[in-house]
Amino acid sequence: QQQVKQSPQSLIVQKGGISIINCAYENTAFDYFPWYQQFPGKGPALLIAIRPDVSEKKEGRFTISFNKSAKQFSLHIMDSQPGDSATYFCAADHSSNTGKLIFGQGTTLQVKP
Amino acid sequence: GAVVSQHPSWVICKSGTSVKIECRSLDFQATTMFWYRQFPKQSLMLMATSNEGSKATYEQGVEKDKFLINHASLTLSTLTVTSAHPEDSSFYICSARDPGGGTGELFFGEGSRLTVL
């Protein structure tokens, strides 16, 4: 019940295309859903996050779509760029905002020029 | 935004020795910090929660005598890998939340890569 399942494991997108990464969770106590971007040899950096009271959040080229009833959320990267090539992790945290993030398995994104 | 710093960024040690990794919150005080471990091409796994002034709480399956955590001040937590062995080689990452921030964002350090020979 603590798992966050992420797909796909890897993704190749042409420059200018849309990258879509999906995550699903089981624990309904989760109420904070961040997405992190990680470059090789670096720590993860927060991209965007959402709480269940909204179904979509957009920041620049990054959008989170959230489906509470399906317990799923996804990251959309519009106009994907080669600089977006990285590993992306979804995560979830409990309602008490413990800070004990449960991470998805990660998606390696490659954006081809 | 808030910054979390780790040191060293990489370390190589001989089997049987102990290695200490520091995690500092540079512009905020953190009563709680988190230590994660990441194997190559894998996700981050929470190891333990570091609590200022009290004992750390470890996740199931993490050996507390192997991974000693000390949170001596509001800006510093340390992870000591004792009697390190090659299987302890990994990328260790700490994180902390700025209590003054309104978003609940968790800030991560740059990570420390440990290689045990």
Side-chain angles (χ1 to χ4, degrees):
Chain A
Q1 222 191 8
Q2 287 293 88
Q3 282 187 328
V4 177
K5 296 182 179 179
Q6 182 173 347
S7 63
Q9 185 175 354
S10 62
L11 183 61
I12 299 175
V13 173
Q14 290 295 128
K15 178 182 176 182
I18 303 173
S19 304
I20 302 174
I21 305 171
N22 301 298
C23 282
Y25 64 98
E26 296 177 354
N27 190 340
T28 55
F30 289 148
D31 77 340
Y32 175 66
F33 304 92
W35 284 90
Y36 285 86
Q37 178 189 59
Q38 186 180 30
F39 292 104
K42 300 293 185 182
L46 180 69
L47 265 181
I48 186 172
I50 198 168
R51 295 192 183 275
D53 52 345
V54 296
S55 60
E56 185 175 284
K57 184 175 181 180
K58 183 177 181 179
E59 290 184 2
R61 296 186 294 111
F62 301 94
T63 300
I64 297 180
S65 296
F66 184 80
N67 186 329
K68 188 174 181 179
S69 60
K71 291 186 283 187
Q72 296 175 347
F73 58 109
S74 60
L75 175 70
H76 295 232
I77 305 175
M78 312 300 286
D79 187 26
S80 299
Q81 299 296 311
D84 296 331
S85 298
T87 300
Y88 292 81
F89 293 96
C90 63
D93 195 1
H94 293 93
S95 55
S96 58
N97 246 5
T98 63
K100 295 171 64 172
L101 290 175
I102 305 299
F103 281 88
Q105 293 79 6
T107 297
T108 301
L109 171 65
Q110 182 184 358
V111 181
K112 290 193 170 183
Chain B
V3 178
V4 174
S5 174
Q6 278 185 246
H7 177 81
S9 56
W10 58 271
V11 57
I12 301 173
C13 70
K14 292 183 178 180
S15 186
T17 60
S18 295
V19 173
K20 180 185 287 187
I21 300 169
E22 294 185 346
C23 177
R24 294 181 185 273
S25 56
L26 297 185
D27 51 3
F28 64 97
Q29 294 182 331
T31 56
T32 303
M33 292 184 177
F34 305 91
W35 286 95
Y36 290 82
R37 182 175 183 176
Q38 186 178 32
F39 290 107
K41 299 190 185 299
Q42 292 191 25
S43 188
L44 288 80
M45 296 298 295
L46 180 65
M47 297 175 64
T49 303
S50 174
N51 305 298
E52 189 269 335
S54 64
K55 290 183 179 180
T57 52
Y58 292 81
E59 297 300 304
Q60 190 174 7
V62 177
E63 300 176 60
K64 60 182 180 182
D65 294 330
K66 158 70 80 175
F67 301 100
L68 300 179
I69 292 173
N70 183 277
H71 196 146
S73 77
L74 287 171
T75 60
L76 174 65
S77 175
T78 61
L79 168 67
T80 301
V81 183
T82 62
S83 186
H85 288 92
E87 58 265 30
D88 298 324
S89 298
S90 189
F91 194 49
Y92 293 89
I93 312 172
C94 70
S95 68
R97 175 180 284 117
D98 180 358
T103 63
E105 177 179 351
L106 202 62
F107 294 94
F108 283 83
E110 286 292 283
S112 299
R113 182 163 304 283
L114 170 64
T115 301
V116 184
L117 302 177

